[in-house]
Amino acid sequence: MTLTDTALTDTEAAAYLARIGAAAPEAPTAEALASLHRAYLLAVPFENLDISLGRPIGLDRAALLDKVVARRRGGYCYELNGLFALLLRHLGYAVDLVSARVATGDDGLTPDFDHLALVVSGGDLDGPVLADVGFGDAFVEPLALRDDEDRAEPGKHVGLLAAGADWHYRERRPDEPWRTQYVFTTTPHGLSDFEARHRWQQTSPESHFTRSRVVSRLTPTGRVTLSGDRLITTTHGRRHETRLAEDDVRRALLEHFGIVLEGFDPVG
């Protein structure tokens, strides 16, 4: 059974909302969507720990609810955005899963289905918006699907640029030019369309998810990230990095991300 086969029950949705510390909105409004998006990023970390441990990741509804809600873990785009889509549909929004190609260091793009993002509409939204709780340090609240959209967020500007059928999600840091982070189309897909790339991300030595471990979460004042054995905190734009011993890595997982993970090896 995949995520697209069935909707959340009222009990599952209530547990999900409790996990992210949010109340069920009375109606599917733009304000409620922005609040849910921010709450998700504050509560649920982006993380690839299962991949680093060689543990297969299932995308069926029961497995993801168990991992993210019951065991209070995080995940990566297919998990986090796939599950967020179910919650938003339960709350009355219309949601499409869309394929994105991620920008590479040589000005290229990864293949289709390398990233899963969401296009959300319905309710009182003034047109569709891009939502994404599975790209790590991206935008905090949804972006209106408008050409040359530009919004200031802490430490950067975020925005969208239309190029034919493609949309570019991009960011601009202070004193730097705009840089495309990923390119997507609004063509809707089923989750099964992403499954081949999902398997590749978990197993290929060319996947950056198999090369390094990362856990990252938005905070009220910035961001906290565990990369290998390095703890990186950003507070009001000021960055601090500490290299941790093994016992400290385990404590950091619990303290900063609420994760207790047997078998985690911080070296690498």
Side-chain angles (χ1 to χ4, degrees):
M1 182 178 293
T2 66
L3 284 172
T4 52
D5 289 329
T6 184
L8 294 180
T9 67
D10 289 343
T11 300
E12 289 168 340
Y16 194 164
L17 288 165
R19 166 72 172 100
I20 65 174
E26 294 183 359
T29 66
E31 181 180 5
L33 177 60
S35 179
L36 290 165
H37 198 277
R38 178 185 289 269
Y40 200 121
L41 293 171
L42 287 167
V44 181
F46 177 91
E47 53 110 329
N48 70 335
L49 296 175
D50 283 343
I51 295 176
S52 70
L53 293 167
R55 298 174 179 174
I57 297 172
L59 294 184
D60 61 280
R61 187 192 69 168
L64 293 187
L65 285 171
D66 175 67
K67 181 178 179 179
V68 176
V69 178
R71 292 190 285 126
R72 304 184 68 82
R73 288 280 305 283
Y76 70 150
C77 67
Y78 310 113
E79 302 171 275
L80 300 183
N81 281 324
L83 202 49
F84 194 42
L86 284 187
L87 177 66
L88 294 181
R89 288 170 180 156
H90 181 86
L91 296 173
Y93 297 94
V95 186
D96 288 330
L97 311 184
V98 299
S99 167
R101 295 168 290 158
V102 179
T104 60
D106 58 359
D107 295 325
L109 294 171
T110 58
D112 284 333
F113 306 109
D114 196 56
H115 178 61
L116 187 160
L118 305 176
V119 171
V120 184
S121 57
D124 76 344
L125 273 64
D126 184 19
V129 301
L130 176 69
D132 194 341
V133 294
F135 198 66
D137 184 12
F139 47 94
V140 177
E141 296 181 356
L143 287 166
L145 213 62
R146 292 192 293 258
D147 186 23
D148 213 22
E149 175 74 359
D150 179 357
R151 184 178 72 224
E153 289 193 348
K156 62 185 176 183
H157 278 243
V158 297
L160 295 172
L161 181 70
D166 289 336
W167 288 87
H168 290 239
Y169 165 61
R170 54 188 193 154
E171 299 178 354
R172 178 169 59 84
R173 304 282 175 171
D175 302 318
E176 294 183 6
W178 283 104
R179 298 184 188 279
T180 293
Q181 303 300 304
Y182 61 74
V183 178
F184 66 99
T185 72
T186 58
T187 302
H189 292 279
L191 193 64
S192 61
D193 294 339
F194 296 86
E195 287 178 354
R197 193 65 180 175
H198 168 56
R199 290 193 299 273
W200 183 92
Q201 300 281 25
Q202 297 177 75
T203 58
S204 172
E206 297 180 7
S207 166
H208 66 273
F209 290 114
T210 63
R211 295 177 181 180
S212 61
R213 307 178 184 92
V214 64
V215 190
S216 187
R217 181 179 60 80
L218 182 72
T219 70
T221 57
R223 177 165 289 274
V224 59
T225 299
L226 182 66
S227 179
D229 61 355
R230 295 177 298 120
L231 183 68
I232 304 161
T233 56
T234 305
T235 305
H236 300 302
R238 303 186 68 175
R239 175 187 167 101
H240 179 73
E241 181 175 323
T242 305
R243 192 169 293 276
L244 303 177
E246 179 174 352
D247 288 344
D248 294 327
V249 169
R250 296 178 186 279
R251 281 193 289 269
L253 279 173
L254 178 60
E255 177 183 352
H256 296 285
F257 308 103
I259 292 176
V260 177
L261 188 64
E262 294 299 324
F264 177 71
D265 177 4
V267 179

